[in-house]
Every structure is written in C-alpha cells, then in structure tokens.
Amino acid sequence: MPVDPGLSQRAHGVRFEWGLSGADAIVDGADIAVIVDVLSFTTTLTVAIDAGIDVIPCRWRDDRASQLAEEFDAVLAVGRSVGSPGRISLCPASIRNTPPPARLVLPSPNGSTISHELASRAGLCVGASLRNAAAVAKWIRAENPTAVIAVIASGERWPDASLRPAVEDLWGAGAVIAELLDSGAADASAEAVAAAAAWRAVKQGLASELLRCASGQELTAMGHPEDVVIAAETGSTGCVPILRDGMFVDATRRWTIEGSTEG
C-alpha cells in the first residue's frame, strides 16, 4: 500500500514541505507553521515589520483586496509591475523608499496566499526569510521548545500555475531548520534535514547564489536587483512576524506566543 507523503512526516517534530499542498500535508498536528518566501513576500514582510508596519496577507489582487484594506484601515500594496516612487509594492525596496503606513495589505500568489490559507488552521503562523531565519528559530525555541514545527517553502509558479520549487526558498527554510537543529530541536524529518544541509552548503556564498538562481535572475531582468540584495541580508533583523487576527505583527514587540500583549 502506498505511503501517504503527508503522514510520513507527521511523526516528526520538525517537518518540511513545498507550497500550499505541502502545507496541507504537514500542518495537521503542528503547533507552529513557518512560511518562507524569500523572493519576495517574507523578505518584504520583515522589511515592513522593521519599519513598524503591520502586514495583512492577501491571496487576491482584486476588489477583495481593496475591501480588506478598508476593513483594516490599511494601505493596499500595488503590483510589482506597476510600482512607482512613493507607492509600496511587493518589492522590499519600495518600503524603504516610502513613508511607512501603520498597516499594509500585501498580496502575493505564494507566501501571502499560504499565510492567508493557514491562518485558521495552524496553531501559529510565522513569516521567515533569510533576514530573520535565525531570530525566528531562536524565538520558537525560547517560547515553546517542545513545539511541533512545519516549515513551508512557498516556491514559485510555472506558466501553467503549477508549483515551481524555488531554490531560494529551500535555502530560507533550511536556514530556519538548521538553527532549530543547532539549538537542540530533535526528531526532524529526512526532508527537513535535507533542507538544512542545502542551506549549510550555500550560506558562505549566499549573496552571489541568490543573484545566480532563477528567481534572482528573473527579478534582475525585471529591473529589481535591489530586491535580491535585500533578500541576502542574512541575519540582519531580530523581528519575528506572527499572524494574529489576520495580521502579521512582531512577536518581539507586541505579543507573546499565547497572544497576550506585553507591557
């Protein structure tokens, strides 16, 4: 009888999979879901959190996104292709070049969509990029050292909308998992161990490898090499974006893992 790929990891305390279907397979029974979308949703998320912006993930880019922005009294990010000076888009550089709003609706087809879908299913959703992978792992270990953790590499899309595993997300997920393992997390699945090994193999040359990978080349060709450079700011922030009531907020600034405000 065939082995269910999802069930094969549910016996483990640290899990790893790809995309929304992979998240569906491994999130049941997990205490924490860590979502990784290096180019660019979770990188942009960490830049926004650093700027004091709370972020509402959104799977749509239509009237429903506008309604969500109205509901949260938030600015709606525009598409990367129509971004311009003074307007925030999925580009992390656009946040650094624009006065920060209090709240931002940030649509994306991968990381933001997965975050939106898991909001009501996972015990806690956390956004991680290379910029904050170490901080996320350390926070998880400090707040809930026995947590079962599902790490999800968002990936990209082929023209037919099928999942394209994106190596930058493998590295980002691996960076979180490697830090978890180095700090004593046990019982990682074979998939999680492999992701950590992929990160360790590339971390010394990460900046150049990000520029060389398919997604990095795509962004550079689109005129956004600065977004790849920002994504390569490994370990540059201690923020830990957690999803509460439909909005990512910084756990180190406003919330504990139980959801109570800090004084």
Side-chain angles (χ1 to χ4, degrees), residues 42-52 92 95-96 131 230 233:
T42 53
T43 293
T44 304
L45 170 63
T46 60
V47 173
I49 293 291
D50 282 346
I95 293 176
R96 290 183 171 175
R131 299 184 72 248
I230 293 171
E233 294 173 349

Side-chain angles (χ1 to χ4, degrees), residues 1 21 46 50 74 88 113 134 136 142-143 146 165 181 191:
M1 187 174 180
S21 294
T46 60
D50 282 346
I88 294 176
T113 295
V136 165
E143 294 290 337
T146 62
L181 297 179
E191 290 82 359

Side-chain angles (χ1 to χ4, degrees), residues 141-207:
R141 292 291 294 161
E143 294 290 337
N144 191 350
T146 62
V148 174
I149 305 155
V151 183
I152 297 123
S154 298
E156 294 292 337
R157 298 285 174 178
W158 290 111
D160 67 359
S162 62
L163 173 71
R164 174 174 74 81
V167 73
E168 69 275 7
D169 293 341
L170 176 64
W171 297 333
V176 175
I177 294 166
E179 188 71 38
L180 287 170
L181 297 179
D182 289 346
S183 62
D187 197 23
S189 69
E191 290 82 359
V193 170
W199 162 245
R200 291 185 175 115
V202 77
K203 65 180 181 178
Q204 296 304 323
L206 186 278

Side-chain angles (χ1 to χ4, degrees), residues 33-112:
V34 179
I35 299 153
V36 180
D37 186 353
V38 169
L39 294 174
S40 297
F41 173 72
T42 53
T43 293
T44 304
L45 170 63
T46 60
V47 173
I49 293 291
D50 282 346
I53 304 169
D54 296 332
V55 174
I56 300 96
C58 178
R59 67 174 302 170
W60 312 286
R61 190 175 289 286
D62 55 21
D63 289 345
R64 287 170 293 185
S66 299
Q67 291 168 4
L68 197 60
E70 183 175 351
E71 176 186 341
F72 280 91
D73 190 21
V75 168
L76 174 60
V78 301
R80 182 181 262 126
S81 62
V82 296
S84 60
R87 302 180 75 187
I88 294 176
S89 72
L90 191 58
C91 298
S94 69
I95 293 176
R96 290 183 171 175
N97 297 326
T98 306
R103 289 170 293 280
L104 176 70
V105 173
L106 188 60
S108 92
N110 302 303
S112 190

Side-chain angles (χ1 to χ4, degrees), residues 1-17:
M1 187 174 180
V3 174
D4 181 327
L7 289 175
S8 69
Q9 290 199 58
R10 287 180 196 167
H12 295 282
V14 182
R15 311 164 183 175
F16 168 74
E17 263 301 344

